[in-house]
Amino acid sequence: MKKVYSRPKSLKRNPFHYCPGCGHSVIHRLIAEVIDEMDLQDKAIGIPPPGCSVFAHHYFDVDMAESAHGREAAVATGIKRAFPEAFVFTYQGDGDLAAIGTAETIHAANRGEKMTAIFINNAVYGMTGGQMAPTTLSSMKTTTTPYGRDVEIEGYPIKISEMLALTRGAVYIERTAVNSPANIRKTKKAIRKAFQSQLDNLGFSLVEILSPCPTNWRMEPLESWRWIDEVMAVEFPLGVIKDVTGSKDAD
Amino acid sequence: MSGNSIIGEAAIRAGCQCYFGYPITPQNELTEYMAAHLGRRKGCSFVQAESELAAINMVYGASLVGARTMTSSSSPGISLKQEGISYLAASQLPAVIVNMSRGGPGLGSISAAQSDYFQATRGGGHGDYRTIVLAPSSGQELADFTHRAFELADKYQIPVIILGDGMLGQMMEPVEFKHEAPEKPPVRSNALRGAKGRPSRAITTFTSKPTELEEINWSLFRRYQLIQRRETTYEAFMAEDAKLMVVAFGVAARIAKGAIKNVQAEGLKVGMLRPITLWPFPSAQVTSLSNKVKQFLVFEMNMGQMIEDVQLALTGNGDVSFYGRPGGVIPTPSEVAKVISRIYYQKGLK
Ligand SMILES: Cc1ncc(C[n+]2csc(CCOP(=O)(O)OP(=O)(O)O)c2C)c(N)n1
Ligand code: SF4
């Protein structure tokens, strides 16, 4: 019988600790599949964040090193400057990348660091209990916007990917989602393309992934999938935001 | 060469592969030296970071993959680096951090001060950790201690701080470099460079089990004890028949030396103990001095920080006076000489 589905080599045999319906586990698997397919397992260094995915090294079977909250792009810079042969990906939440780590991210992109950021936009701070993130949608209730995000007071959901696209050093930026089989396939393709641009030494790449957090959104998993289409993707439109890699699609 | 440039050259000769910095007076010549001389070397890298926070986290990244790496700043910038220093200490990663300190608190002044003693010797960032702290007091020591800092960092897998000040950084002094730069920068053997031919590894400190972290704390502590036993260094100056011992470090010790020579000429029996490692502090030497000498004068360019370590070492076995000039004021040797003789007479030593 032909085997059509199995655990990627780059994923350890540890069961995920994520909540049911959480996007992190799907995204982990996609990254691991791409690492396998591109034969990167023995040159990859992953930088997970403080956040729900802080234990990502329990799952990825590649070298990994912890970063301080938001400093992943600086850590990746240090790695690539000292050891350019490494393949480096950061894995960052929206609080991490778009609030506390804004400066590090923008400047790494602007320097065109040869790194890839996998940016998980779940519109909340998951790990700390569902507080407002910079990406929290207008009127959305979180534990620190109990009456809904009031843009007059709390500002607007930030479009960090569009901001990053303005830097000359960023070569590939795409926003995807993991709320349907089709979107999951597109996400994998985007990760692959981002990784390839790093391997080709072109510059900074980032894939922003709209990812369900049913727990803090207080929704059933299926409802959270629908909410991404109906609400989140309206504010954060899916698609390629910037591509100056000059390459055709990876597959 | 200026003190700041001396550190840069010595770092390159010690095999520093990556330097990450952010401009701040009075250490800019060091950043500029690295831009001019390190950035172009084969396999080496210079990055002007967007902040000190970024710079220290770049250091963390470079250290992860086994490079000898350094950052430098002055007081306000060193405050920002504390986050990264704590992570380096927790992950047991070597790095060299230079603080050419200036007057504080706040934006303070750009003139030389020693008010970062507490910050340097008590860890500085969050959590239970120490860093080795070296306090040079001359151009030659800037060169020698920079080399030593890289060696110690690698030997004990620990961040090492060189605590200088604005005056040392700006001073022009002749210097002899005792090492040649290596052809290829060295790579630490336990570096994280991809799981080629070995199982994958993770460098992390976060744990959901307090007992695991407790074990990390214990293992750090045991290493700190070893460092205390092996690496404590100090200089004793005219200590043999002294009745009054001055305790001072760095540039203050240099000023005090001049002052002591003046008062010696007047027949006062004054010596000096100069801690060279501020952490580990030479407590045992202070304690053993107190068998012979009962009067101590701590002189610092701050409001009194190292004095606490002197008092702890003496545990009441000696009388400690203090003279301090904070804010970036640099007293002259004759000013300090006056203070020494006043105390000498007040304490009835003559
Ligand atoms: C300096 C610092 N501030 C705050 C925290 C607490 N903290 C841990 S994770 C996190 C944010 C998590 O949100 P996000 O980045 O969106 O990731 P998620 O958990 O949603 O995946 C915060 C604020 C920290 N670890 N360090
Ligand atoms: S809190 Fe949200 S982001 Fe965190 S594991 Fe649960 S569902 Fe996922």
Side-chain angles (χ1 to χ4, degrees), chain A residues 48-68:
Chain A
C52 283
S53 49
V54 68
F55 289 127
H57 59 280
H58 289 180
Y59 311 123
F60 286 106
D61 197 2
V62 302
D63 276 3
M64 300 206 87
E66 175 182 274
S67 162

Side-chain angles (χ1 to χ4, degrees), chain A residues 12 41-45 47-48 50 54-55 57 60-69 71 73-86 100 103-105 107-108 111 113 127, chain B residues 17-18 20 43-51 53-55 57-62 64-65 67 83 87 90-91 191-208:
Chain A
K12 294 177 182 168
Q41 193 181 9
D42 61 6
K43 63 188 293 202
I45 303 178
I47 314 290
V54 68
F55 289 127
H57 59 280
F60 286 106
D61 197 2
V62 302
D63 276 3
M64 300 206 87
E66 175 182 274
S67 162
H69 190 21
R71 316 292 173 228
V75 175
T77 299
I79 293 177
K80 289 293 283 204
R81 294 301 178 117
F83 184 43
E85 298 84 351
I100 196 167
E104 286 77 4
T105 310
H107 288 278
R111 286 189 303 267
E113 297 295 342
M127 189 199 208
Chain B
Q17 184 193 342
C18 297
F20 307 97
C44 295
S45 186
F46 164 89
V47 178
Q48 178 171 331
E50 58 273 24
S51 71
L53 266 172
N57 282 288
M58 290 173 189
V59 163
Y60 172 88
L64 277 173
V65 294
E83 174 188 86
Y87 277 75
S91 306
L192 194 80
R193 285 165 89 88
K196 199 177 188 111
R198 60 155 171 80
S200 64
R201 279 175 50 212
I203 295 187
T204 61
T205 58
F206 185 72
T207 163
S208 48

Side-chain angles (χ1 to χ4, degrees), chain A residues 19-23 211-222 224-225:
Chain A
C19 309
C22 174
S211 172
C213 173
T215 303
N216 287 304
W217 296 356
R218 315 237 184 288
M219 291 178 196
E220 293 295 320
L222 270 180
S224 72
W225 278 32

